[in-house]
Amino acid sequence: MPAFFNRLRNRLRTTLAPVPDIPAGLWLQTLQRHPFLAALDLPEQGKLRALSALFLDGKQFHGAHGLQVTDAMAIDIAAQACLPLLHWGDPRAALGWYDDFVTIVVHPGEAIARRAHLDEAGVMHHYTEVLAGEAMERGPVMLSWQHVEDAGHSAQRGTNVVVHEFVHKLDMRSGSPNGCPPLPAGFLGTHSARAAHEAWWATWEPAYAQFREAVIKAERFGAPWPWLDAYGATSEAEFFAVACEAYFVNRQRFAQEFAGLVPVLDAFFRPAP
Ligand SMILES: [Zn+2]
């Protein structure tokens, strides 16, 4: 069937047919495995469950290297992927942020990506990169189950691979990821898209510069490592994704480390109704 009709069929199915509920037992287990989900209040958990059910209805999971993606695994991934959308009103509209792809590929362990880089002298360098996850612009999301499975524990360190990759997806809605997702009209009381971006970067640029400096001091000068994942120092897009991981899974510690970023992330992820 041509892709268009497939899409149309999916659209009809998702807009007209009722979406099956996530079974209560499986949902409870997902909450229990993830302290940052268990900590949500009951109305928030209800909203997240509805979002996750819609997400599962519209996405396809593919296990790589023979991995069987069970319902429990898919629900774990869906709940964490939907966490950033929790305060964006109507679930179907909120899930529109993820409507540019269908497939989520789950690897049992870390995935090895072959990369090539052309240097300034015109020499091509081939190397491999070990990945816990990857998000492709207008394409699928890849996750390593080994890392997804660890989410309950790694929340202590403020890390979460699912949030990381899906926040890249949000960032990519305005083109190549640059650490600034599309901002809503009136963001932080601004009156133009330009002013909204200026308000965003006025907070993020100094925070990123300061974090990079802290990582460089740790790497080269023996200073203590910062709490936030040092991978965030590789680019502004990664800093945004890494900061969001911590914001969603360990807000208390994140607020101690990056008090200035909390109001900006709240303005984006928890807009006033
Ligand atoms: Zn990343």
Side-chain angles (χ1 to χ4, degrees), residues 25-72:
L26 286 175
W27 180 247
L28 199 62
Q29 284 173 22
T30 290
L31 295 181
Q32 283 167 348
R33 274 192 288 270
H34 302 94
F36 50 92
L37 300 181
L40 298 172
D41 64 30
L42 281 179
E44 286 172 336
Q45 287 179 357
K47 271 200 276 182
L48 188 65
R49 187 172 167 187
L51 272 166
S52 304
L54 272 172
F55 179 94
L56 290 167
D57 193 54
K59 299 285 177 253
Q60 286 168 8
F61 287 83
H62 173 74
H65 307 292
L67 179 74
Q68 292 289 328
V69 181
T70 64
D71 287 350

Side-chain angles (χ1 to χ4, degrees), residues 164 168 231 238:
H164 183 106
H168 276 323
Y231 188 60
E238 295 305 340

Side-chain angles (χ1 to χ4, degrees), residues 7-128:
R7 277 205 302 277
L8 188 66
R9 190 195 56 186
N10 282 340
R11 178 174 289 272
L12 286 172
R13 186 164 57 80
T14 52
T15 49
L16 299 179
V19 172
D21 271 344
I22 293 176
L26 286 175
W27 180 247
L28 199 62
Q29 284 173 22
T30 290
L31 295 181
Q32 283 167 348
R33 274 192 288 270
H34 302 94
F36 50 92
L37 300 181
L40 298 172
D41 64 30
L42 281 179
E44 286 172 336
Q45 287 179 357
K47 271 200 276 182
L48 188 65
R49 187 172 167 187
L51 272 166
S52 304
L54 272 172
F55 179 94
L56 290 167
D57 193 54
K59 299 285 177 253
Q60 286 168 8
F61 287 83
H62 173 74
H65 307 292
L67 179 74
Q68 292 289 328
V69 181
T70 64
D71 287 350
M73 291 161 76
I75 295 167
D76 278 3
I77 291 169
Q80 294 172 83
C82 292
L83 188 55
L85 316 180
L86 191 56
H87 299 282
W88 286 350
D90 174 62
R92 285 183 198 279
L95 276 162
W97 283 80
Y98 295 154
D99 69 4
D100 60 339
F101 72 103
V102 171
T103 308
I104 297 154
V105 180
V106 188
H107 282 250
E110 286 165 330
I112 309 291
R114 288 192 185 82
R115 307 281 200 213
H117 164 72
L118 192 65
D119 73 13
E120 284 161 14
V123 179
M124 187 66 94
H125 299 270
H126 294 273
Y127 61 101
T128 55

Side-chain angles (χ1 to χ4, degrees), residues 133-135 164-165 168 231 234-235 237-239 241-242 245:
E134 191 174 23
H164 183 106
E165 299 311 333
H168 276 323
Y231 188 60
T234 54
S235 71
E238 295 305 340
F239 182 59
V242 161
E245 293 178 57

